């Protein structure tokens, strides 16, 4: 017999509760099936005895029988069989025991993998100088669209999305694809590390745009981090009206074009994040990626056709590298999504700072180009500002939780 619960103690004065306790505490292993057959007479006598002791009517058999029948109905209604309660408790306990424990640090590992994949994509784009950046974007969107279609069919999300969210899905696809095209163009026009650092400044602009359009809180720290980011971008870009006609490390107009493209790509990426925040969880993630791929493919094909830059890549290495860019892009998106599901966004953003370090390493190893002090100083400003935003958000979320 187990210990009495709080509910048993609270109703101990009721004769019905006494009967329930007697039935539950029976030692037969299968009382649900055998109570009426094997123990019926014994329990009836015990109930009559309990009722007689409570009411003091030893000689009134009729009253005893009627009271016993009424109590039998109450007991059937109010008291579930003991074995059923035991089964429910055991099943819930086993469910808790069988729930797998999350591996600590797994989300950060996923974030690291996504960062490595995106860094390798930038490196491959830098080596494909003969293929236009917009054409590379078109091929990546094409393969990403082929990957997402079976997932949409499997999850039965449809291809259009909720009617009230379609305008945001179109904006997400347009802004996201433009951010990708501008990043690829910047990587081809300027040093890899400089383009990566400028694109990495988008979290700072995301905070400002969220304050403007979503009415999110903007603190003095956001303003400080914005100043740091703009300073870093200026140190990397080194415009002629501040650093003279031929500043060190700047290769003509291509460097300026790449810097402007990277800065515009960072703004477009920040707008994309604001749109995703506006949609929230009302739209499935695969549907958002679907709009991104379809709109990016259409936009890239139209733009390349107008510019007359469409051409078949060379056989062999170039084609395999284009396929690898598409595959790594899909893998990077998957691991980034898994990381955000397991860890807080602030910690994932901190892990993404590895992208800047990898960009400097790849630039030195594969292109034999050491970064200038201006680039290192600008990178430090941008990394400090984005890391500060991530730490501040992580700290505020921890206090709320």
């Amino acid at each position: 017999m187990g210990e009495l619960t709080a509910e048993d103690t609270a109703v101990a004065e009721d004769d019905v509760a006494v009967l329930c306790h007697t039935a539950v505490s029976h030692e037969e292993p299968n009382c649900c099936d055998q109570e009426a057959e094997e123990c019926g007479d014994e329990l009836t006598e015990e109930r009559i005895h309990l009722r007689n002791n409570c009411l003091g009517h030893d000689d009134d058999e009729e009253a005893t029988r009627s009271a016993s029948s009424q109590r039998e109905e109450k007991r059937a209604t109010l008291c579930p069989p003991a074995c059923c309660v035991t089964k429910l408790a055991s099943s819930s306990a086993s469910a808790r025991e069988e729930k797998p424990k999350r591996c600590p640090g797994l989300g950060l590992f996923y974030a690291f993998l996504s960062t490595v994949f995106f860094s390798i994509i930038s490196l491959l784009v830098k080596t494909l100088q003969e293929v236009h950046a917009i054409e590379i974007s078109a091929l990546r969107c094409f393969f990403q669209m082929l990957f997402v279609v079976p997932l949409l069919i499997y999850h039965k999300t449809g291809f259009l999305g909720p009617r009230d969210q379609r305008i945001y899905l179109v904006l997400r696809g347009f802004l996201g694809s433009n951010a990708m095209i501008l990043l690829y163009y910047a990587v081809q026009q300027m040093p890899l590390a400089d383009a990566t650092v400028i694109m990495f400044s988008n979290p700072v602009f995301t905070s400002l745009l969220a304050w403007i359009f979503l009415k999110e809180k903007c603190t003095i720290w956001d303003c400080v981090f914005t100043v740091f980011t703009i300073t870093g971008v200026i140190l990397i870009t080194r415009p002629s009206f501040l650093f003279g006609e031929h500043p060190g490390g700047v290769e003509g107009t291509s460097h300026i074009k790449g810097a402007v493209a990277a800065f515009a790509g960072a703004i477009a990426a920040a707008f994309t994040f604001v749109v995703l925040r506006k949609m929230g969880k009302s739209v499935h993630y695969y549907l958002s990626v679907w709009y991104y791929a379809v709109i990016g493919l259409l936009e890239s094909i139209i733009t390349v056709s107008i510019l007359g830059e469409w051409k078949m890549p060379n056989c062999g290495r170039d084609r395999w590298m284009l396929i690898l860019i598409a595959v790594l892009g899909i893998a990077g998106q998957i691991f980034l999504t898994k990381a955000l599901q397991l860890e807080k966004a602030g910690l994932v953003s901190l892990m993404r700072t590895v992208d800047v370090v990898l960009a400097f390493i790849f630039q030195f190893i594969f292109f034999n180009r050491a970064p200038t002090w201006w680039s290192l100083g600008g990178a430090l400003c941008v990394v400090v500002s984005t890391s500060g935003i991530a730490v501040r958000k992580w700290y505020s979320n921890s206090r709320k939780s």
Side-chain angles (χ1 to χ4, degrees):
M1 178 185 296
E3 296 182 0
L4 289 176
T5 63
E7 294 181 358
D8 296 330
T9 307
V11 294
E13 296 180 357
D14 192 355
D15 57 334
V16 178
V18 175
L19 292 176
C20 291
H21 178 66
T22 304
V24 171
S25 62
H26 200 273
E27 296 180 356
E28 287 293 328
N30 193 8
C31 61
C32 288
D33 300 330
Q34 300 176 0
E35 180 180 352
E37 297 179 3
E38 299 179 2
C39 309
D41 298 334
E42 182 180 351
L43 287 176
T44 303
E45 293 177 1
E46 186 176 357
R47 283 194 295 271
I48 294 172
H49 180 68
L50 287 170
R51 180 63 178 174
N52 290 339
N53 289 338
C54 293
L55 299 178
H57 299 292
D58 296 333
D59 300 328
D60 196 351
E61 296 181 359
E62 244 182 66
T64 303
R65 280 196 297 271
S66 62
S68 298
S69 60
Q70 291 176 2
R71 277 197 303 275
E72 191 69 30
E73 293 176 359
K74 291 181 181 179
R75 189 177 67 86
T77 305
L78 298 177
C79 300
C83 59
C84 301
V85 177
T86 306
K87 288 179 181 178
L88 288 173
S90 61
S91 62
S92 61
S94 61
R96 287 194 300 269
E97 292 177 358
E98 292 176 359
K99 185 178 180 180
K101 295 182 178 180
R102 182 168 63 89
C103 178
L106 184 60
L108 294 179
F109 178 70
Y110 286 153
F112 176 76
L113 287 180
S114 68
T115 302
V116 172
F117 289 157
F118 289 137
S119 299
I120 295 176
I121 289 174
S122 299
L123 174 63
L124 296 177
V125 171
K126 182 67 175 178
T127 58
L128 289 173
Q129 292 291 335
E130 297 182 0
V131 183
H132 200 278
I134 303 179
E135 185 176 351
I136 298 175
S137 304
L139 292 173
R140 177 182 169 179
C141 290
F142 174 73
F143 283 102
Q144 189 163 325
M145 185 176 63
L146 293 181
F147 176 78
V148 172
V149 167
L151 295 175
L152 292 175
I153 297 174
Y154 176 77
H155 290 281
K156 300 178 181 180
T157 58
F159 293 92
L160 296 179
R163 187 178 299 274
D164 58 335
Q165 299 293 331
R166 290 175 188 174
I167 182 63
Y168 298 114
L169 287 168
V170 172
L171 282 175
R172 184 265 182 272
F174 178 76
L175 294 171
S177 59
N178 279 321
M180 176 182 61
I181 293 172
L182 291 169
L183 171 62
Y184 290 172
Y185 181 79
V187 167
Q188 290 184 339
Q189 296 296 321
M190 67 186 303
L192 175 63
D194 294 350
T196 302
V197 170
I198 296 176
M199 278 296 298
F200 191 74
S201 63
N202 67 80
V204 178
F205 302 117
T206 302
S207 300
L208 289 179
L209 293 175
W211 170 62
I212 296 173
F213 293 100
L214 302 181
K215 307 304 179 183
E216 294 185 1
K217 185 178 180 181
C218 182
T219 63
I220 186 63
W221 284 109
D222 293 322
C223 299
V224 172
F225 294 143
T226 303
V227 172
F228 263 85
T229 300
I230 294 176
T231 303
V233 172
I234 291 175
L235 291 177
I236 293 172
T237 307
R238 297 187 288 282
S240 58
F241 64 88
L242 289 178
F243 293 83
E245 291 296 330
H246 301 286
V250 177
E251 300 175 353
T253 58
S254 62
H255 187 96
I256 302 299
K257 290 180 180 178
V260 172
F263 187 79
I267 299 296
F271 270 109
T272 303
F273 294 141
V274 171
V275 173
L276 289 173
R277 286 187 187 180
K278 180 66 176 179
M279 290 190 298
K281 297 182 180 180
S282 60
V283 177
H284 199 279
Y285 169 75
Y286 291 128
L287 192 61
S288 175
V289 176
W290 164 255
Y291 271 83
Y292 167 79
V294 172
I295 295 178
L297 178 61
L298 294 176
E299 181 184 0
S300 299
I301 291 176
I302 294 172
T303 306
V304 172
S305 301
I306 294 174
L307 296 176
E309 296 287 344
W310 184 270
K311 66 176 183 178
M312 288 297 295
N314 297 327
C315 296
R317 185 182 70 94
D318 288 354
R319 296 186 181 182
W320 283 110
M321 289 176 67
L322 288 171
I323 296 175
L324 185 59
I325 287 174
V327 173
L328 291 178
I330 295 171
Q333 290 285 347
I334 292 174
F335 282 115
L336 180 60
T337 304
K338 295 293 293 181
L340 291 173
Q341 290 175 349
L342 296 176
E343 295 290 347
K344 294 181 178 180
L347 296 177
V348 176
S349 299
L350 286 176
M351 184 57 68
R352 290 297 306 276
T353 57
V354 180
D355 195 359
V356 176
V357 178
L358 291 176
F360 279 103
I361 294 175
F362 289 162
Q363 178 177 289
F364 180 76
I365 294 176
F366 294 98
F367 303 103
N368 195 23
R369 180 166 183 162
T372 63
W373 288 107
W374 295 112
S375 297
L376 290 176
L380 181 62
C381 291
V382 173
V383 170
V384 167
S385 60
T386 53
S387 301
I389 287 180
V391 170
R392 187 181 65 83
K393 289 185 177 180
W394 172 74
Y395 178 72
S396 62
N397 292 334
S398 300
R399 290 187 63 183
K400 290 179 182 178
S401 59

